[in-house]
Amino acid sequence: MAAKEPYNESVWSKYYGPNLGYIQEKYEQFVKDPSSVENNYRELFTVYGPPPLAPDAEPAPQPIVSGDAVWLRKAVKASKLIANIRIYGHLAANIDPLERDHNPMIKWLNHETYELTREDLMALPASLIWENVPDNIQTAWDAVHRMRQAYTQTIAYEFGHVHDEQELRWLNSQAESVNSPAPLNTAERKELLSRLIQVEQFETFLHKTFVGQKRFSLEGNDALVPMLDEIVRAAAHEGAEHILMGMAHRGRLNVLAHILGKPYDIIFSEFHHSPNKELFPSEGSMGINYGWTGDVKYHLGADRAVREGETVRTRLTLANNPSHLEFVNPVVEGFARAAQEERGTTGLPKLDTNKAIAVLMHGDAAFPGEGIVAETLNIGKLDGYTNGGTIHIIVNNRIGFTTESEDSRSTHYASDLAKGYEIPIVHVNADDPEACVAAVRLASAYRNKYKKDFVIDLIGYRRHGHNEMDDPETTQPIVYGKVRNHPTVHRIYAERLRQEKVVTDEDVKQMNADAESILQQAYDNMKEGKHKSADSKTSVPVKTEDSPSKSTAVSLGALQQINRELLSVPDGFTVYPKLQRILQRRKDALNDGEKVDWALAESLAFASIIRDGTPIRLSGQDAQRGTFAHRHLVLHDSETGELFSPLHQISDAKASFGVYNSPLSEASVLGFEYGYNVFAPETFVIWEAQYGDFANAGQVIIDQFISAGRAKWTQRSNLVMLLPHGYEGQGPEHSSGRLERYLQLSAEENWTVANLTSASQYFHLLRRQASLCGKAEARPLVIMAPKSLIRNPRSTSAGTELASGHFQAVLPEPLLGQNPAEVKRLVVCSGKVAIDLQAELEAATAKGKEWSWLHILRLEQLYPFPEQELAAYLSTFRSLEEIVWVQEEPKNMGSWSFTEPRLRAIAPENTKVKYIGRPERSSPASGYADVHTYEQRRIVTEALKLNSQVQTAVPSS
């Protein structure tokens, strides 16, 4: 289709007499059904609007409508027609290259529907029904057809769901203007054609050179590449330092080559060195022979720096992404927020949304189908997560693998999900590259002006099957019959430019020859070994002894100063009286004979970390107060509602502190925090689940990114996950943090998994983890955080324990171990059950029970497994007969399956290794309090041999 042009009366000068009557008849057909007229007439009417009346025809006199009820009604109907063209024009637009929808919905766009005639509309002034009407539009008839021209071409607009009146008025004015976005000039049009040729030639070269290998071709949506070119240009022009992109596999290689600048020869090398495609079709990558796990080439990301003019330097980053399609979305959003924040001063980070822009490319089946999309859209405007708007492009080929749109969504468009978030939507025909560029220019202008998301629905097709080994005609024979006969976009556009005398046949031939020559030369270089080698990335396990100094102590004087500042509030700030009494209990916690509880130990750790110059970001559901009303890092003035964080007034703080209550979402928030941490590795990033097993909803992020990102992509993260865990009789959904899942994923020193029992251990572990920020040794930390232990006196610590020492992977029970040579039973456990055992020990000791035969060791760190520390203790137990693993969780959950082989490997000869805990279960915990209490009591008494006649039957509930 031709580009929009201003109304030009001279175009009709060659039509007169019968010819003018004929063209007027054609126009009437076009108004009723655009598909009923030939393409040349359709383009003529679309661009130039209605033909004029015959020269000798007198225009109908414009009536005075102010007091004429009939004309007032006509004016109202005409206004309604204009409004409905704005709202429903997209339903009649030419936005599908294959024209699969033969029945455009044009009822609400025709004047006959409103009982209006052409004469009626000619008699009404355009200004009466169109506010800010262009000067060259005089009558309502002209206005209606100019509006149809604006809203029913190869670019279509959906703005009716945007409720902000100012934004809606701006969006409509952009759609209705012939000069905004500015049309492409001649040089830009030639460059656009050249780019489309490069895109197509790249895919064609791969197809014929690497027969049968997967590449997930972009063909049918080729315009995506010049659209991204335009985003890069616009963002760089606005001074953006970073453009962060995420996409699934379709078209990824083309984007890597042409947007990220990955050399052709390296891409060819990755195909050339793939494993045997008969066994592993293209599921290999160059890294597989270099000691790392690696990932397939169409999952890998890259980055590149570009310059705009002489001063602006913009870095492009395409995030690595597994086959879980849309789960990269929140990761990229986290990238962008991290790139926009300045964290080097106290208080909240300083946010500048102009510094970076996020661009997400979605699949048309995945956008409405994957819940992570809705979760990510939802965080877009929230205080802790907004990044000034994301440009979303749905790379819409109207099919998901083999599933048609009508079977993959319940909505009219793939983009309809965005309406619920009031995100403007533009649909654009992928066969009109100029319209595609115009859509991007509009999106960029909107994002720049309003700092909000924008969606472009790029409607194309898929030229091959889901992958290039797949035959699509078995499931879509009609569609692929059309595809076979449909010219590629570069040919369509080249023909258009030839007709408009922008290029010649020789120009097009030369562009094709140049693109093919570059590809062939790169392939020849690869074959001859002249190409640049792909990076030989390695994922070396990080051993504990490689970590920085284990000293994480903070002087008692410094801690006391911090504590005073944590309890200080600004003048005039009124703390809720009940909370004030709770906080004041912390006043003397660091004095001799007093104890520091879990929440205070955490606050002291955070304050000392930002004093060391490491910024902190903490998020989660109710993270500011804490799910268990223990944290209170953000105070609310009980009279004004004003907010205040004590951590924003710590003296000598050299970094920011931000704590954000997240939406009721795990996957998007966890992905966001992971992305933030990867992009800003010097930041101490923490995510807290409301309850540990709520992390189930973020399992894809855990499996594909957090646990495996280092192995697959050499991507380092220092993210902390706090997962409340412990059996207190609260039922199956509020007991287990699913510790077993994290232990099952533990390998290659990929992270640390801990289950702690004291405030001082938590303090030291947080400080140790923070000390790794930005270092090669960084790795995620999974903590089975406590619930009841938060307020249990046995988990508190003396201030001196924070002022000295370090985190200990193994803790001996302080009530035992005086005579190690006499120990016959060694109980090894982790987490809250150790405190339950201690409580029973105290009670039995008070009754005269003797324990020389018993010792208890707490595994505070489960992975990496502290084999050396355990072995050192075992060497002192010369009379040992049995090692008993004790846990609260069912036998098939918790740590038993992980620890059993490791305990057996270090157990002295002839020493039995046994299990005490709940039997195997399909559900993590009982929902009945009496059953829970009985089972918990049985575990403790059996572990301590308090009753040799322990019943094995569970009482009836």
Side-chain angles (χ1 to χ4, degrees):
M1 298 294 291
K4 295 181 183 178
E5 296 183 25
Y7 181 83
N8 187 347
E9 188 71 30
S10 64
V11 77
W12 304 113
S13 59
K14 60 184 177 182
Y15 297 101
Y16 51 89
N19 288 337
L20 181 58
Y22 176 77
I23 202 70
Q24 288 170 339
E25 289 179 10
K26 283 288 184 183
Y27 184 75
E28 292 294 338
Q29 293 178 34
F30 170 78
V31 169
K32 293 179 180 179
D33 182 5
S35 63
S36 66
V37 300
E38 295 87 342
N39 284 338
N40 58 330
Y41 287 117
R42 190 186 311 169
E43 183 170 348
L44 182 70
F45 298 139
T46 297
V47 174
Y48 296 105
L53 296 173
D56 56 350
E58 291 292 329
Q62 294 192 5
I64 301 174
V65 300
S66 58
D68 190 323
V70 172
W71 282 105
L72 284 174
R73 283 194 292 271
K74 290 180 185 294
V76 169
K77 290 178 179 179
S79 296
K80 188 174 183 180
L81 170 58
I82 290 291
N84 282 342
I85 291 174
R86 286 189 175 117
I87 296 171
Y88 302 115
H90 60 89
L91 297 174
N94 176 25
I95 52 177
D96 181 7
L98 299 183
E99 297 183 337
R100 280 165 283 193
D101 297 325
H102 296 293
N103 299 307
M105 300 173 65
I106 60 173
K107 174 184 177 182
W108 300 112
L109 314 184
N110 285 338
H111 56 273
E112 291 95 338
T113 303
Y114 303 86
E115 299 176 339
L116 294 169
T117 65
R118 175 174 177 170
E119 289 72 23
D120 292 336
L121 293 172
M122 289 290 291
L124 289 170
S127 59
L128 192 66
I129 62 172
W130 184 355
E131 186 180 2
N132 300 319
V133 63
D135 293 338
N136 62 342
I137 304 296
Q138 300 296 319
T139 70
W141 175 258
D142 294 334
V144 166
H145 293 293
R146 177 66 187 87
M147 293 290 278
R148 285 180 58 99
Q149 173 190 342
Y151 284 95
T152 64
Q153 295 189 74
T154 52
I155 184 170
Y157 308 94
E158 277 197 279
F159 301 148
H161 54 281
V162 177
H163 294 156
D164 185 290
E165 186 177 351
Q166 181 184 6
E167 287 183 33
L168 182 59
R169 188 181 297 114
W170 183 88
L171 287 164
N172 286 336
S173 70
Q174 298 300 302
E176 294 158 17
S177 170
V178 296
N179 294 315
S180 182
L184 274 63
N185 58 39
T186 298
E188 289 174 326
R189 299 176 85 188
K190 288 181 178 179
E191 184 180 349
L192 177 56
L193 175 59
S194 176
R195 193 58 148 169
L196 292 170
I197 288 172
Q198 292 170 13
V199 170
E200 182 179 324
Q201 288 277 21
F202 175 75
E203 298 288 2
T204 302
F205 190 89
L206 291 178
H207 193 67
K208 70 182 183 182
T209 307
F210 304 102
V211 178
Q213 291 207 46
K214 294 180 186 178
R215 70 177 194 277
F216 297 102
S217 161
L218 183 60
E219 292 162 281
N221 283 101
D222 308 50
L224 175 65
V225 169
M227 290 171 76
L228 293 176
D229 283 332
E230 182 62 26
I231 290 175
V232 171
R233 186 206 63 77
H237 181 73
E238 294 297 330
E241 297 173 13
H242 293 275
I243 300 172
L244 296 317
M245 296 183 287
M247 67 184 301
H249 43 277
R250 181 152 313 282
R252 191 178 189 90
L253 294 179
N254 218 308
V255 170
L256 283 169
H258 295 119
I259 303 300
L260 278 299
K262 186 171 183 177
Y264 289 149
D265 48 8
I266 290 182
I267 294 175
F268 298 157
S269 175
E270 290 172 349
F271 276 95
H272 190 70
H273 292 91
S274 291
N276 186 332
K277 66 176 183 289
E278 300 298 324
L279 301 176
F280 309 101
S282 292
E283 295 293 334
S285 70
M286 282 297 291
I288 203 163
N289 297 318
Y290 290 95
W292 65 306
T293 307
D295 202 352
V296 293
K297 52 192 155 289
Y298 42 80
H299 290 172
L300 299 177
D303 66 334
R304 166 196 170 207
V306 298
R307 290 189 182 276
E308 173 76 9
E310 295 298 319
T311 57
V312 178
R313 185 175 186 271
T314 303
R315 179 162 292 279
L316 316 182
T317 300
L318 177 64
N320 301 292
N321 188 33
S323 280
H324 283 71
L325 298 174
E326 302 290 331
F327 278 84
V328 77
N329 295 352
V331 176
V332 172
E333 302 289 5
F335 282 1
R337 177 67 177 239
Q340 294 167 350
E341 287 193 335
E342 171 56 49
R343 295 169 287 273
T345 57
T346 188
L348 287 170
K350 307 300 187 294
L351 179 65
D352 180 358
T353 58
N354 293 319
K355 292 174 68 174
I357 180 173
V359 180
L360 293 175
M361 290 151 274
H362 310 270
D364 57 293
F367 191 81
E370 296 281 350
I372 190 67
V373 177
E375 287 192 36
T376 305
L377 294 178
N378 182 56
I379 67 177
K381 298 177 185 177
L382 303 184
D383 182 55
Y385 307 90
T386 184
N387 54 33
T390 297
I391 295 179
H392 302 265
I393 302 175
I394 300 175
V395 186
N396 189 345
N397 51 45
R398 300 193 62 181
I399 191 170
F401 202 159
T402 67
T403 304
E404 300 276 13
S405 297
E406 57 266 25
D407 294 322
S408 67
R409 66 174 189 262
S410 297
T411 58
H412 184 78
Y413 291 118
S415 57
D416 282 349
L417 172 68
K419 292 180 181 178
Y421 301 93
E422 298 190 38
I423 300 172
I425 301 167
V426 167
H427 309 278
V428 63
N429 190 321
D431 271 0
D432 186 349
E434 290 188 21
C436 294
V437 172
V440 167
R441 290 183 173 178
L442 176 58
S444 298
Y446 177 82
R447 193 265 178 192
N448 189 48
K449 185 176 182 66
Y450 293 107
K451 307 302 180 188
K452 294 182 179 179
D453 287 16
F454 196 99
V455 170
I456 299 172
D457 183 16
L458 174 64
I459 302 175
Y461 56 92
R462 190 182 69 194
R463 186 156 288 275
H464 305 286
H466 175 68
N467 60 64
E468 288 64 35
M469 300 171 63
D470 180 56
D471 181 1
E473 296 203 41
T474 60
T475 50
Q476 277 78 31
I478 305 301
V479 169
Y480 277 91
K482 290 186 174 185
V483 170
R484 279 199 312 273
N485 298 313
H486 189 77
T488 62
V489 63
H490 112 252
R491 297 182 186 282
I492 294 171
Y493 191 54
E495 179 59 28
R496 171 178 164 181
L497 295 189
R498 274 193 291 256
Q499 289 183 359
E500 296 178 19
K501 303 190 184 310
V502 176
V503 298
T504 65
D505 287 342
E506 288 304 314
D507 292 333
V508 177
K509 288 179 183 178
Q510 189 62 50
M511 289 179 185
N512 275 282
D514 290 346
E516 187 173 4
S517 174
I518 292 170
L519 289 161
Q520 187 62 52
Q521 184 62 54
Y523 181 75
D524 292 342
N525 289 344
M526 183 275 298
K527 293 281 284 184
E528 296 170 11
K530 296 179 181 178
H531 67 291
K532 298 178 182 178
S533 298
D535 293 338
S536 56
K537 303 176 182 179
T538 58
S539 180
V540 180
V542 182
K543 300 184 182 302
T544 304
E545 58 265 30
D546 293 335
S547 299
S549 170
K550 293 183 179 181
S551 177
T552 50
V554 177
S555 73
L556 192 58
L559 292 173
Q560 289 170 336
Q561 171 65 23
I562 289 171
N563 195 38
R564 286 192 292 271
E565 294 175 352
L566 289 172
L567 295 174
S568 174
V569 298
D571 293 339
F573 190 94
T574 306
V575 181
Y576 178 55
K578 181 179 177 180
L579 176 58
Q580 178 66 16
R581 290 192 296 272
I582 293 171
L583 295 176
Q584 284 305 310
R585 293 174 195 161
R586 301 176 179 178
K587 181 179 179 181
D588 301 320
L590 291 161
N591 295 344
D592 287 343
E594 299 296 332
K595 295 285 188 176
V596 174
D597 66 12
W598 203 274
L600 180 54
E602 180 185 73
S603 296
L604 293 170
F606 289 164
S608 67
I609 289 166
I610 60 175
R611 278 168 54 115
D612 291 341
T614 299
I616 298 175
R617 177 184 168 89
L618 165 63
S619 80
Q621 294 152 15
D622 312 295
Q624 293 179 346
R625 188 200 76 168
T627 297
F628 308 103
H630 67 289
R631 181 171 288 130
H632 301 295
L633 290 180
V634 174
L635 305 179
H636 297 247
D637 189 302
S638 60
E639 296 181 0
T640 67
E642 182 184 354
L643 305 183
F644 166 69
S645 175
L647 281 162
H648 289 167
Q649 64 175 14
I650 299 299
S651 60
D652 300 325
K654 303 179 184 68
S656 63
F657 175 82
V659 54
Y660 305 99
N661 286 339
S662 75
L664 193 64
S665 165
E666 287 80 28
S668 64
V669 175
L670 184 54
F672 185 99
E673 303 305 340
Y674 174 80
Y676 190 106
N677 181 228
V678 167
F679 196 91
E682 80 289 351
T683 305
F684 192 35
V685 181
I686 306 166
W687 176 74
E688 182 176 61
Q690 191 172 69
Y691 284 88
D693 61 351
F694 287 15
N696 289 351
Q699 199 65 45
V700 172
I701 299 294
I702 295 165
D703 290 350
Q704 304 297 335
F705 291 90
I706 300 174
S707 71
R710 186 183 185 103
K712 293 193 294 186
W713 310 313
T714 65
Q715 191 162 276
R716 293 190 177 99
S717 167
N718 204 48
L719 179 70
V720 177
M721 296 171 58
L722 299 178
L723 309 178
H725 174 87
Y727 280 57
E728 287 102 355
Q730 297 188 52
E733 270 69 63
H734 296 118
S735 295
S736 176
R738 294 293 190 174
L739 173 58
E740 63 279 355
R741 295 184 179 174
Y742 302 95
L743 294 176
Q744 185 183 40
L745 291 168
S746 297
E748 301 177 287
E749 307 263 353
N750 61 327
W751 56 17
T752 301
V753 180
N755 195 9
L756 311 178
T757 58
S758 81
S760 62
Q761 284 281 88
Y762 185 43
F763 173 87
H764 288 297
L765 185 57
L766 287 175
R767 284 187 50 78
R768 187 184 81 173
Q769 186 72 6
S771 73
L772 298 174
C773 289
K775 295 183 170 61
E777 298 86 1
R779 55 187 165 197
L781 169 63
V782 181
I783 299 180
M784 295 293 113
K787 301 197 299 286
S788 64
L789 292 194
I790 286 173
R791 292 180 174 84
N792 192 312
R794 293 183 177 85
S795 70
T796 59
S797 302
T800 54
E801 295 179 67
L802 281 62
S804 63
H806 54 82
F807 174 73
Q808 299 179 66
V810 179
L811 278 182
E813 169 54 55
L815 300 179
L816 300 174
Q818 289 77 14
N819 300 300
E822 298 179 23
V823 171
K824 295 183 179 181
R825 168 177 276 197
L826 173 64
V827 170
V828 187
C829 58
S830 188
K832 174 184 157 290
V833 73
I835 302 300
D836 293 343
L837 292 171
Q838 186 183 74
E840 198 62 44
L841 278 172
E842 289 180 349
T845 301
K847 296 177 183 179
K849 181 74 173 179
E850 192 274 325
W851 302 107
S852 62
W853 55 274
L854 176 71
H855 199 26
I856 299 175
L857 295 178
R858 306 176 187 177
L859 259 63
E860 302 281 291
Q861 176 178 297
L862 290 157
Y863 186 82
F865 188 71
E867 179 180 340
Q868 293 181 3
E869 293 92 330
L870 276 176
Y873 280 105
L874 288 174
S875 67
T876 67
F877 304 141
R878 294 189 290 274
S879 302
L880 192 64
E881 296 177 358
E882 58 181 356
I883 299 174
V884 180
W885 177 261
V886 177
Q887 68 179 38
E888 315 179 280
E889 304 88 351
K891 190 175 184 179
N892 56 320
M893 302 177 193
S895 308
W896 169 242
S897 297
F898 175 81
T899 57
E900 180 193 11
R902 291 165 174 81
L903 290 175
R904 293 190 186 281
I906 62 174
E909 190 175 356
N910 299 321
T911 302
K912 298 178 182 178
V913 177
K914 298 169 60 175
Y915 166 85
I916 294 176
R918 286 172 170 81
E920 292 185 351
R921 296 269 170 78
S922 58
S923 180
S926 172
Y928 300 101
D930 56 346
V931 174
H932 162 78
T933 301
Y934 177 84
E935 289 190 323
Q936 204 76 0
R937 177 68 183 166
R938 177 188 61 80
I939 291 168
V940 170
T941 55
E942 205 174 313
L944 301 179
K945 294 185 178 181
L946 292 175
N947 184 355
S948 60
Q949 304 300 320
V950 175
Q951 298 177 15
T952 56
V954 175
S956 171
S957 58

